Amino acid sequence: IEGLEIASYSMSAREVGGDFYDFIAMGEDKVGMLIGDVTGKSVSGALVMSASPSIFRMLAEDKLSVREMMIRANRRAKQDTQSGMFIALLYAHLNPAAGKVILCSAGQTQPILCAASDRQARLVETQGDTFPLGIIADVDYQETVVRLGPGDCLILYTDGIVEAENEKGEM
């Protein structure tokens, strides 16, 4: 997409992890983005993690709103995941031509918007329920619109960043 730069990086804390991200092409001017973390660092968590992007890829074919995609993905996760397992996830539609990102959070860390205009970094406060996917069947996810100007940077990340430890085991 012209005028858009995307960078991504992932490093597992162990051999099998539950963190994931994906980008979904949605025509010539829009991209879907998701970043998530499945509970646990086990093989079952990794299996749920590997299936999660497919749910969103299938829903994207129906050209649903961000809110509706989250509601449907939550219902599917509630049916398909074992009790006690859930997916903290943030899903967004990025449209650079319109200068905006529309997003919903299901228990994922708050994005950081770094505004080029004043060189300030701010946490993005998301609207609506923020229950992770798969816990409660009926959740009222709401869309949050973030306006983007030239040179702005939106940072999406999992709790692996905020829970990182140094060599001494300190956060």
Side-chain angles (χ1 to χ4, degrees):
I1 297 175
E2 183 144 349
L4 177 64
E5 290 183 44
I6 296 177
S8 59
Y9 180 76
S10 179
M11 183 176 73
S12 291
R14 300 188 180 139
E15 284 185 40
V16 178
D19 290 13
F20 64 94
Y21 64 90
D22 198 11
F23 304 102
I24 305 167
M26 303 179 79
E28 294 184 21
D29 63 346
K30 189 165 55 171
V31 64
M33 302 181 300
L34 63 137
I35 184 167
D37 183 8
V38 177
T39 53
K41 305 287 186 245
S42 63
V43 172
S44 61
L47 291 172
V48 171
M49 176 272 297
S50 64
S52 296
S54 295
I55 293 170
F56 283 86
R57 287 183 170 274
M58 288 185 64
L59 291 171
E61 293 174 1
D62 293 336
K63 298 183 177 21
L64 302 171
S65 69
V66 172
R67 178 179 186 269
E68 187 60 30
M69 285 182 74
M70 289 291 282
I71 289 169
R72 289 189 184 186
N74 178 61
R75 287 186 191 137
R76 177 88 274 145
K78 178 67 175 146
Q79 292 173 355
D80 292 350
T81 56
Q82 62 189 11
S83 180
M85 183 169 277
F86 58 85
I87 307 159
L89 182 135
L90 184 134
Y91 180 72
H93 284 172
L94 173 60
N95 185 332
K100 68 179 180 179
V101 176
I102 302 170
L103 57 89
C104 281
S105 178
Q108 191 48 270
T109 53
Q110 292 174 282
I112 299 170
L113 176 62
C114 299
S117 60
D118 63 5
R119 301 179 59 100
Q120 294 294 310
R122 297 173 183 85
L123 288 175
V124 175
E125 298 285 336
T126 56
Q127 305 299 309
D129 289 342
T130 57
F131 293 105
L133 302 179
I135 295 178
I136 299 171
D138 294 313
V139 179
D140 186 26
Y141 294 116
Q142 296 294 318
E143 296 180 347
T144 300
V145 177
V146 177
R147 297 285 171 195
L148 296 176
D152 286 355
C153 179
L154 185 66
I155 301 169
L156 310 178
Y157 57 98
T158 65
D159 62 1
I161 294 290
V162 295
E163 294 175 356
E165 297 178 348
N166 65 16
E167 306 80 36
K168 297 177 185 175
E170 301 167 330
M171 301 273 280

